[in-house]
């Protein structure tokens, strides 16, 4: 849902993160957004960024949701984390 919203509006802000908490079935904590030419580049960027990697490795995050979409010649990955 978030991926398509970004593609439609061209708004890359995190916005109202709480609206995704029900989809994760718990309390929403964090969101990672990454855009790139392909998934390899995107994942490399996520794991080499301390704040993005921190969200991925945070032991409190026991629920995760992913969105992947392609638009305008790029790929976007959205990661939602919750407890």
């Amino acid at each position: 849902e978030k991926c398509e919203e970004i593609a439609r509006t061209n708004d890359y802000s995190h916005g109202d993160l709480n609206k995704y908490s029900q989809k994760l079935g718990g309390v929403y904590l964090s969101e990672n957004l990454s855009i790139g030419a392909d998934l390899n580049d995107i994942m490399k960027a996520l794991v080499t960024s301390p704040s993005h990697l921190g969200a991925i490795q945070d032991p409190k995050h026991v629920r995760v949701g992913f969105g992947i979409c392609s638009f305008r010649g790029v790929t976007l990955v959205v990661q939602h984390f919750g407890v």
Side-chain angles (χ1 to χ4, degrees):
E1 180 181 336
K2 175 77 179 232
C3 198
E4 289 83 10
E5 181 181 316
I6 292 170
R8 186 179 64 255
T9 64
N10 205 35
D11 179 3
Y12 293 87
S13 67
H14 290 288
D16 179 13
L17 303 179
N18 290 322
K19 73 181 189 177
Y20 301 102
S21 64
Q22 289 182 346
K23 294 184 184 305
L24 289 177
V27 177
Y28 183 80
L29 289 179
S30 185
E31 174 181 74
N32 282 344
L33 303 175
S34 189
I35 191 167
D38 59 45
L39 289 176
N40 287 328
D41 288 343
I42 290 169
M43 290 311 298
K44 188 176 186 179
L46 287 169
V47 299
T48 58
S49 163
S51 62
H52 290 96
L53 183 59
I56 292 167
Q57 294 179 327
D58 190 327
K60 293 182 300 218
H61 296 159
V62 296
R63 292 182 171 88
V64 63
F66 291 93
I68 302 171
C69 63
S70 295
F71 62 99
R72 297 183 201 105
V74 297
T75 300
L76 172 68
V77 172
V78 177
Q79 299 172 324
H80 286 154
F81 303 97
V83 296

